[in-house]
Amino acid sequence: MAIYLYDGTWETYLTLIYTLTFDTEETSPNGKVYNLRLSKRVPLPLFGERIEASEPKVKGIKEYIGKFGDKSLLKDIYHWYLCDRAGLEIPLAKCLRKLKDDPKVFYRPHLTEAVQLQKAKRALFRERHRWLGLLRFFSPEKGVLLAYFEPENNVLPIIGNHFIKRFPMERIVIVDTLRGILFLGQNGKFQLLFLEEWEINIKAIKDPFVELWRTYFKEIAVPERINQDRQKRKVPLKLRAFLPEFL
């Protein structure tokens, strides 16, 4: 069984997809794919083929998609790339193999891989919507807004721009501590950086509004109407480590 490792970047992901689609046997792709960005949570195998970004392969997969797919397909592939814990690389490659003969392959309800891809994309945007409402910012210094979280999917590239528009005069810093991805934004511009190590000590962040926020939640609460089950449905326990009102 083939094992593939890649560094979690978009260009390397496209290289990997090209490899799985065109450089394997017709009965493949079989095997497993590991994103090195998730190595904190996923144990890596001792052996595997390390995929490096290849400009010719990136160009080749884009040309193939442009020739046989519709204009939105590359954007969809980017969204599936963001679903980096869903294991979509091999199902995507299998669908791409059929694209030449069936341009609607990604929308076939009888095809297991297509259903898996569409389900994952819907989950990605549900999580995006959730974090747009739940992401909490701290202000360690004037003019800087800092937030950190560990989303199930790599939603940071598709939520950061929202906060730049909401706070155009502030410097926005958002960290995905699971993947080691840093979002920096200001004045309508942003950049994404990959970090090798990142540790945040929430207790070291001095922000008077955090205590004010906690007090607000405490004072507006009506003890007789507290419903723990409903709270867990709206704000799952796995998210509360990043919300100051629950710390």
Side-chain angles (χ1 to χ4, degrees), residues 153-173:
N153 297 290
N154 183 12
V155 297
L156 182 52
I158 57 175
I159 69 171
N161 199 44
H162 167 82
F163 295 105
I164 293 178
K165 295 177 181 178
R166 286 287 306 274
F167 307 105
M169 303 303 294
E170 310 291 337
R171 286 178 289 173
I172 306 296
V173 181

Side-chain angles (χ1 to χ4, degrees), residues 135-152:
L135 195 66
R136 300 291 188 254
F137 285 90
F138 302 88
S139 184
E141 62 180 83
K142 185 177 181 181
V144 176
L145 295 179
L146 167 67
Y148 73 103
F149 68 149
E150 290 187 2
E152 179 71 20

Side-chain angles (χ1 to χ4, degrees), residues 7-9 36-40 50 175-182 193-199:
D7 63 6
T9 61
L36 298 176
R37 282 279 138 195
L38 301 173
S39 60
K40 292 181 180 179
R50 178 70 178 262
V175 184
D176 180 338
T177 55
L178 173 60
R179 297 167 180 83
I181 301 178
L182 174 66
L193 302 175
F194 288 90
L195 305 175
E196 293 305 319
E197 295 183 4
W198 179 265
E199 292 184 2

Side-chain angles (χ1 to χ4, degrees), residues 74-104:
L74 185 60
K75 187 174 183 179
D76 282 340
I77 290 176
Y78 180 71
H79 292 147
W80 292 321
Y81 153 72
L82 298 179
C83 302
D84 54 4
R85 299 177 74 180
L88 301 179
E89 295 85 2
I90 291 176
L92 173 56
K94 288 182 176 180
C95 287
L96 284 172
R97 285 182 172 225
K98 301 175 182 179
L99 181 63
K100 183 177 179 180
D101 299 320
D102 182 5
K104 299 295 182 181

Side-chain angles (χ1 to χ4, degrees), residues 79-80 83 86 116-131 152-153 155 158:
H79 292 147
W80 292 321
C83 302
Q116 184 180 354
L117 290 166
Q118 298 301 334
K119 183 178 179 180
K121 187 172 70 171
R122 290 193 294 270
L124 172 72
F125 282 94
R126 284 198 301 270
E127 186 174 18
R128 175 186 181 273
H129 179 74
R130 169 174 283 174
W131 279 113
E152 179 71 20
N153 297 290
V155 297
I158 57 175

